[in-house]
Amino acid sequence: METEIEERLERIEERLKTIENMLKRQNLNNMTNWTVKDLAESTGRSTKYIKDRLVNNEVFMPKLESDGVVIYPEGVGGAININTKKMLHFIEENHSKIFGREVYK
């Protein structure tokens, strides 16, 4: 009986974590600006992956900056500011290049 209750509690905890993650992603998608960490959490990727494959990718950087998708810091150590709606649109248009198996360079 006790094992059955523990198993039920584990399933409930898993469901709560799933709901919490969904709500967190919804909140991230409703933000007007993201950090690299926010973008990583929203996509389920690491911050290193986002930096390497998207934000600091030499192919994407000029377009991201000129279209106002990303505002890069002036100097070392500054935060990268990402326009949420523009980035979601950019990802939609370039999904296979960003998340494909090969690194797009």
Side-chain angles (χ1 to χ4, degrees):
M1 181 91 173
E2 191 173 310
T3 306
E4 186 178 318
I5 293 171
E6 287 174 358
E7 288 174 0
R8 285 183 181 179
L9 284 174
E10 283 181 27
R11 286 194 300 267
I12 290 170
E13 287 175 0
E14 287 174 16
R15 288 181 191 154
L16 287 173
K17 284 181 186 177
T18 301
I19 291 169
E20 182 180 337
N21 288 335
M22 287 172 50
L23 290 172
K24 189 174 186 180
R25 284 197 173 138
Q26 282 180 341
N27 287 337
L28 285 173
N29 289 338
N30 289 330
M31 293 171 62
T32 56
N33 291 302
W34 275 338
T35 63
V36 172
K37 183 180 176 187
D38 295 331
L39 178 56
E41 288 178 9
S42 182
T43 60
R45 306 291 178 149
S46 69
T47 55
K48 181 178 180 351
Y49 184 97
I50 294 300
K51 286 179 180 178
D52 293 347
R53 299 285 297 250
L54 178 58
V55 178
N56 292 333
N57 183 305
E58 60 190 36
V59 174
F60 296 136
M61 281 180 76
K63 179 124 176 91
L64 291 171
E65 192 165 24
S66 68
D67 290 354
V69 179
V70 176
I71 299 172
Y72 293 95
E74 290 184 27
V76 181
I80 295 172
N81 190 329
I82 302 166
N83 181 295
T84 305
K85 289 182 182 181
K86 289 181 180 181
M87 180 56 83
L88 290 172
H89 181 72
F90 185 85
I91 290 172
E92 200 171 292
E93 289 182 338
N94 297 283
H95 191 271
S96 62
K97 293 176 185 174
I98 299 165
F99 299 110
R101 290 183 183 259
E102 294 182 29
V103 177
Y104 188 72
K105 291 185 178 178

